[in-house]
Amino acid sequence: MVGQRYLGHSGLKISEIIYGNWLTHGSQVEKDTAIACIRAALDNGITTFDTADVYANGEAEKVMGEGLAGERRESLVVLTKVYWPTGPKGPNDAGLSRKHIMESIDGSLRRLGMDYVDVYQAHRYDVETPLEETMQAFADVVRAGKAHYIGVSEWTADQIQAAHAMARSLGVQLISNQPQYSMLWRVIEDEVVPMCEQLGMAQIVFSPIAQGVLTGKYLPGQPAPEGSRGTDTKGGANFVKRFTENEDLLERVQLLKPTADELGLTLAQLAVAWILHRRNVAAAIIGASRPEQVVENVKASGVQIPEGMMWRIDEILGDVVVRDPGLTRAGMPQARP
């Protein structure tokens, strides 16, 4: 079964593997298959589920809600997010203004079919809204009982520090950051992770398998496998090409196979297990287009990787690893979308 960890310095326990439906439910995957993936997650010990209002413009939240319907709500931890455009994309349909936050939490709860979410997350930093307005709105969402905790996603260390101080002054808990993080993308390590450790926050990691690249299915000099994210014209191909266009990187991923074999793991399981060994990480979010993928990936929970193997992985990947902490800020929207 999947292990449980505290989320930061809070009393909230989450499964160390989280099921998320970014780029799948409501877009890539048919509804019946999506719900089967959720059921597989539940059957294999996952208790924590991540979604967002922007995923398939609300459809992903609806599917998540349907898949979890009938479960004891108190036994689940559900996370969703706000920031990106939703609805008809009017002037106030994006960002972290009080108006958008208050309207978005109600929309998310309606689509999920729930009275509250456990963690409500700012999906990006909003440069057009005063931070005081954003944090006051989040605090009011918590006080209204619509969320228990708050979190952020892909914020810089200084933004996290300022938001944490403001949340504390308002009497609410900012407990998590949700960044992209994998063997290949490690931009949070130098600044964000130390800041979050200092503040008692933890990382909930998305894309631990680097959008599928760390499964080893993308081979040097060969086209992306049919049906993979690399062939998805609805957005998946754009996310994965930063890795698949690098032949040296793809070759080095193949060199990880002996290490995975030695541990009795697939490359995907090795990638998730590696994440769960990193400092300040509470959980890794996995997605799936088939229930079998969920069953396989949860096997990474509880795996012990000797320190020597962790060093070996670093040596194999070498300079193909992206580490520049400035990329968190560089990837941030410079205006509301």
Side-chain angles (χ1 to χ4, degrees):
M1 297 296 282
V2 176
Q4 298 279 321
R5 299 184 180 188
Y6 287 104
L7 184 52
H9 288 178
S10 77
L12 178 65
K13 283 188 174 182
I14 62 173
S15 52
E16 65 182 9
I17 295 179
I18 295 173
Y19 182 77
N21 63 359
W22 173 50
L23 285 179
T24 50
H25 298 185
S27 54
Q28 287 183 6
V29 178
E30 294 298 326
K31 182 176 172 181
D32 288 349
T33 301
I35 290 177
C37 289
I38 294 170
R39 303 310 304 178
L42 290 163
D43 291 344
N44 284 273
I46 291 177
T47 60
T48 307
F49 296 83
D50 178 80
T51 187
D53 57 2
V54 71
Y55 299 164
N57 199 27
E59 289 303 310
E61 285 183 324
K62 290 181 183 178
V63 175
M64 187 70 85
E66 288 187 44
L68 296 174
E71 294 295 311
R72 180 177 183 268
R73 179 64 184 89
E74 294 84 352
S75 299
L76 303 174
V77 175
V78 178
L79 300 74
T80 194
K81 313 179 196 73
V82 56
Y83 171 80
W84 295 105
T86 53
K89 301 181 181 179
N92 289 300
D93 288 343
L96 297 177
S97 68
R98 180 178 184 84
K99 176 177 173 62
H100 187 55
I101 288 173
M102 291 304 188
E103 293 170 349
S104 293
I105 186 61
D106 288 342
S108 289
L109 295 178
R110 183 173 60 251
R111 288 185 290 271
L112 287 164
M114 298 176 181
D115 295 327
Y116 67 92
V117 293
D118 295 277
V119 186
Y120 197 39
Q121 303 165 97
H123 211 158
R124 290 296 184 274
Y125 188 87
D126 184 359
V127 298
E128 297 187 23
T129 301
L131 184 59
E132 294 86 352
E133 177 180 340
T134 293
M135 299 311 294
Q136 182 65 65
F138 274 118
D140 290 344
V141 166
V142 172
R143 291 199 178 92
K146 297 177 182 181
H148 291 153
Y149 305 88
I150 55 176
V152 299
S153 177
E154 292 281 35
W155 285 29
T156 64
D158 58 332
Q159 291 165 351
I160 289 170
Q161 183 179 32
H164 186 274
M166 208 166 290
R168 189 171 183 178
S169 71
L170 292 165
V172 295
Q173 290 175 272
L174 178 61
I175 61 173
S176 62
N177 177 47
Q178 187 176 128
Q180 179 181 179
Y181 189 39
S182 70
M183 289 180 185
L184 301 174
W185 188 264
R186 296 166 65 169
V187 303
I188 65 170
E189 290 182 345
D190 288 347
E191 296 180 2
V192 169
V193 165
M195 178 59 70
C196 287
E197 286 179 324
Q198 177 184 329
L199 299 174
M201 297 172 59
Q203 311 302 313
I204 299 171
V205 174
F206 74 85
S207 294
I209 311 174
Q211 290 96 54
V213 173
L214 287 168
T215 65
K217 65 186 174 186
Y218 297 97
L219 301 173
Q222 297 188 26
E226 198 61 38
S228 70
R229 187 162 293 176
T231 62
D232 171 41
T233 57
K234 297 178 182 178
N238 288 331
F239 286 105
V240 78
K241 69 181 182 180
R242 72 175 67 163
F243 300 125
T244 56
E245 291 178 351
N246 186 331
E247 295 281 308
D248 183 27
L249 182 151
L250 297 181
E251 288 172 1
R252 295 193 192 208
V253 169
Q254 296 302 313
L255 294 176
L256 293 172
K257 282 186 175 180
T259 301
D261 291 342
E262 194 173 336
L263 291 166
L265 303 174
T266 65
L267 279 174
Q269 290 164 350
L270 177 65
V272 175
W274 181 90
I275 281 289
L276 296 178
H277 279 71
R278 305 304 295 177
R279 57 188 273 211
N280 197 232
V281 170
I285 301 171
I286 64 166
S289 55
R290 304 187 309 277
E292 310 89 77
Q293 293 174 325
V294 179
V295 175
E296 285 303 305
N297 286 337
V298 297
K299 294 176 183 177
S301 179
V303 168
Q304 298 300 311
I305 303 178
E307 186 175 351
M309 285 190 175
M310 295 291 283
W311 282 106
R312 186 195 305 172
I313 290 167
D314 282 350
E315 290 174 356
I316 289 170
L317 295 176
D319 59 7
V320 302
V321 174
V322 180
R323 300 177 183 273
D324 180 5
L327 290 175
T328 299
R329 187 177 296 278
M332 185 181 305
Q334 299 305 302
R336 280 191 203 162

